[in-house]
Amino acid sequence: MTDIEEFPKSGLLQFWILNDDVYGMSFDDITCQDTFRIVYHKDIDNTVTEEEVKAKFKENGLDGEYSMPVNGEFGLKFTSSTDVMSESDVRFEKMFCEYYNAAQPKKKINSLMDMDIAPADEIEAYEQNYQNAYGHKIGGYPAFTQWDPRKEDTKYDFLLLQLDSEFGNGDEKIMWGDAGICGFFINRQRLRDLDFDDVIYNWDCG
């Protein structure tokens, strides 16, 4: 259950990725659900047993050769909070310039490079906002270790799920490549319509 307006209030949403050397992500089309799949079950059949589920499992020939990014079974507990867009979001620069130009009409800029000083010096607690982009999330604004794969005018305007790497003290729970991060993105209206056929699946690492 979630209090996010766009999310379904019942049912089960599943995220599946292929166990291969790139965790099922396609470099040719990050929306092609051939090696990953988002499945929504409106109604849950509670009579299905664990044995019935296991009977449907088929090895793909790569099991045992590659390790999955999630190393075990874990529950994630989310809390509601206010999020702030970081510079790593592809939409940030355009929005920042619009607000900056409205506040400084005599010093208008067309890009962050036009500024005399770094955005970090202009925005209060900018570094903290950047760090807050990381972590596990449903909704809010994403983080990337490299770059946002979306276009500035992207239709994939909603962060469906973000899973960050989680490790430390010799306990590696989640690891995307070399301490990377994973995000699934969807159009906000498609989410409201419970249409999960067009979703971006992306992960990157440093």
Side-chain angles (χ1 to χ4, degrees):
M1 297 292 290
T2 174
D3 59 1
I4 298 177
E5 177 187 352
E6 292 85 356
F7 254 64
K9 299 301 184 288
S10 61
L12 175 66
L13 185 61
Q14 296 178 322
F15 296 79
W16 298 89
I17 61 174
L18 183 66
N19 182 25
D20 62 10
D21 58 337
V22 290
Y23 309 141
M25 187 179 79
S26 171
F27 291 101
D28 296 323
D29 182 358
I30 53 178
T31 66
C32 180
Q33 295 195 34
D34 285 347
T35 51
F36 82 95
R37 188 66 54 85
I38 309 299
V39 182
Y40 173 64
H41 303 272
K42 182 179 180 180
D43 300 307
I44 302 174
D45 186 354
N46 293 317
T47 66
V48 176
T49 65
E50 182 178 350
E51 289 72 24
E52 289 175 322
V53 174
K54 288 181 176 179
K56 295 178 180 293
F57 174 77
K58 294 182 180 180
E59 293 189 3
N60 67 8
L62 299 174
D63 294 313
E65 184 175 354
Y66 301 107
S67 60
M68 295 289 277
V70 180
N71 302 307
E73 298 178 5
F74 307 103
L76 295 176
K77 183 179 181 180
F78 294 92
T79 57
S80 179
S81 64
T82 300
D83 204 8
V84 178
M85 183 185 291
S86 78
E87 188 182 358
S88 64
D89 192 303
V90 71
R91 301 164 296 179
F92 177 86
E93 184 170 47
K94 179 181 179 181
M95 294 178 66
F96 177 85
C97 290
E98 289 175 353
Y99 282 103
Y100 185 91
N101 290 339
Q104 301 285 346
K106 295 182 179 180
K107 298 167 55 179
K108 287 189 175 182
I109 59 175
N110 295 313
S111 74
L112 297 178
M113 300 300 294
D114 294 337
M115 297 181 64
D116 296 331
I117 56 177
D121 298 324
E122 284 284 298
I123 306 174
E124 183 180 359
Y126 174 81
E127 286 298 329
Q128 185 61 47
N129 292 338
Y130 184 82
Q131 292 302 319
N132 286 345
Y134 289 88
H136 310 304
K137 290 184 181 183
I138 295 175
Y141 298 105
F144 307 91
T145 62
Q146 295 188 26
W147 57 81
D148 192 335
R150 301 172 298 167
K151 303 294 184 182
E152 187 180 88
D153 60 347
T154 182
K155 64 180 180 179
Y156 303 97
D157 56 353
F158 192 95
L159 180 60
L160 190 60
L161 174 67
Q162 177 171 286
L163 279 182
D164 204 346
S165 291
E166 186 168 330
F167 57 95
N169 299 320
D171 186 13
E172 186 176 294
K173 294 183 174 68
I174 304 175
M175 181 63 69
W176 296 95
D178 184 13
I181 193 165
C182 165
F184 295 87
F185 302 88
I186 191 172
N187 174 264
R188 193 178 300 268
Q189 186 56 52
R190 280 183 175 267
L191 176 57
R192 291 190 182 103
D193 296 339
L194 304 179
D195 179 0
F196 298 95
D197 289 340
D198 188 14
V199 173
I200 282 179
Y201 162 47
N202 178 77
W203 69 269
D204 58 20
C205 60

